[in-house]
Amino acid sequence: MHDMSVKWPNGARCAVMLTFDFDAETLWTSRDPDNANRPGVLSQGKYGAKVGVPKILDTLEEEGLKGTFFVPGWTAENHTGRVEMILKAGHEVGHHSYSHRWVSDDPAAEVEEMEKGLEALKRTVGVVPKGYRSPAGEVSAGLFKLLQKHNFLYNSSLMDDINPYRHILPDGSKGPVELPWHWSLDDAPYALFSVKSPRPIFTNAHMLDVYKEEFREIYKWGGLYDIIFHPQIVGRPSRIALLRELIAFIRTFPDVWFATGTEVAEAWVAEYEKA
């Protein structure tokens, strides 16, 4: 028997991170710069800021839960009030690049995206983030050195485990703690539609099926359930209902610990890296 379970705080059986990638318009401009001149396309991202974030915050408040919002620097500059609203409600804000561009094959651009994003979060809302998530899970070999340089506690960009672990860099030094995710626990593959890449939009029943089955087994394994939502997707009326239903389902299981990225990483460090 390979026991993969983690010792979570207070005897919790599994940890749940509700995370929200607040890309807003950058989701559309980063893939196709011409979208900057397409108000129709951009309006999908705008919906995330205008309607999605307040509805998500209402839902989390009703449930008494804290989430982790990964915010690009551009979003912090252009939707500052919404990021302030997230912070005021007691949620964590993490780093999610500056403009959501894919830069894994361009080291100079990667440094720029990292540093511009950090600068924007600090300047607009006074946040020095402890966690990082790369746009669309695109990661370069140099990212971990960059995260170490900027003193990040954790990264949530890789898909090679269901539990936290510590990155060890090639020189033997400690990198950030990894909080793994997976595409199956992301709303985008099921519900993000665009004319340029048309794909089916799945029903709540379909999405909940995947989310619940994954939760059942991660719970059994004693792992980390790190689910990713986007305000422009989960903020739609029926998807807010999905979020409520998923939380209610998870709460039917005893000993579940809902936590922010920083709480999960700190708890893991405290348990597994005792001096």
Side-chain angles (χ1 to χ4, degrees):
M1 256 318 258
H2 298 92
D3 185 19
M4 303 183 76
S5 63
V6 164
K7 282 180 78 173
W8 298 111
N10 305 317
R13 172 82 209 165
C14 104
V16 172
M17 273 169 71
L18 301 174
T19 76
F20 303 87
D21 291 3
F22 184 15
D23 304 330
E25 290 95 325
T26 68
L27 182 67
W28 304 97
T29 51
S30 59
R31 299 294 165 265
D32 180 356
D34 293 342
N35 279 338
N37 307 311
R38 297 184 179 124
V41 173
L42 293 185
S43 67
Q44 300 172 85
K46 202 166 268 179
Y47 179 92
K50 195 169 159 185
V51 181
V53 166
K55 284 293 180 192
I56 290 163
L57 293 177
D58 287 350
T59 306
L60 293 175
E61 189 182 1
E62 283 160 19
E63 299 291 346
L65 296 174
K66 296 289 177 249
T68 306
F69 289 75
F70 292 96
V71 181
W74 186 95
T75 301
E77 289 172 346
N78 290 273
H79 299 291
T80 313
R82 286 300 189 245
V83 184
E84 286 170 344
M85 197 186 261
I86 289 165
L87 290 164
K88 202 173 163 201
H91 304 288
E92 177 179 359
V93 165
H95 188 6
H96 195 43
S97 81
Y98 175 74
S99 69
H100 210 268
R101 276 189 304 161
W102 278 339
V103 291
S104 56
D105 51 1
D106 182 344
E110 182 169 53
V111 170
E112 184 195 5
E113 283 281 304
M114 172 66 66
E115 293 181 350
K116 265 183 88 172
L118 282 172
E119 189 279 322
L121 286 173
K122 183 90 175 79
R123 172 171 40 85
T124 57
V125 291
V127 164
V128 178
K130 289 187 175 176
Y132 176 81
R133 174 174 284 159
S134 64
E138 287 293 305
V139 175
S140 79
L143 175 67
F144 305 102
K145 193 83 196 140
L146 209 48
L147 293 173
Q148 181 192 51
K149 178 187 167 187
H150 291 288
N151 292 318
F152 277 89
L153 166 67
Y154 73 90
N155 177 52
S156 183
S157 309
L158 299 190
M159 303 184 239
D160 54 354
D161 210 324
I162 60 147
N163 278 319
Y165 64 88
R166 170 72 71 180
H167 285 283
I168 302 298
L169 302 189
D171 64 3
S173 63
K174 280 183 173 183
V177 172
E178 185 66 36
L179 305 180
W181 70 291
H182 188 260
W183 285 113
S184 58
L185 291 179
D186 185 321
D187 58 5
Y190 310 102
L192 181 68
F193 178 91
S194 82
V195 173
K196 275 200 164 171
S197 55
R199 50 186 174 194
I201 293 178
F202 288 99
T203 60
N204 276 6
H206 176 104
M207 291 167 72
L208 280 164
D209 236 16
V210 182
Y211 296 165
K212 288 176 175 180
E213 294 303 329
E214 193 77 355
F215 178 78
R216 270 193 195 97
E217 198 61 20
I218 288 177
Y219 180 83
K220 234 181 241 176
W221 292 14
L224 169 65
Y225 186 79
D226 179 3
I227 190 162
I228 300 180
F229 297 108
H230 297 76
Q232 57 190 288
I233 301 171
V234 81
R236 294 297 308 173
S238 65
R239 308 307 192 184
I240 285 288
L242 175 150
L243 180 59
R244 274 200 309 265
E245 193 177 326
L246 180 65
I247 291 167
F249 168 78
I250 291 171
R251 286 194 150 147
T252 63
F253 291 73
D255 305 320
V256 172
W257 182 45
F258 285 92
T260 63
T262 291
E263 288 169 341
V264 169
E266 285 177 345
W268 185 87
V269 169
E271 182 61 44
Y272 291 96
E273 298 185 347
K274 295 177 180 130

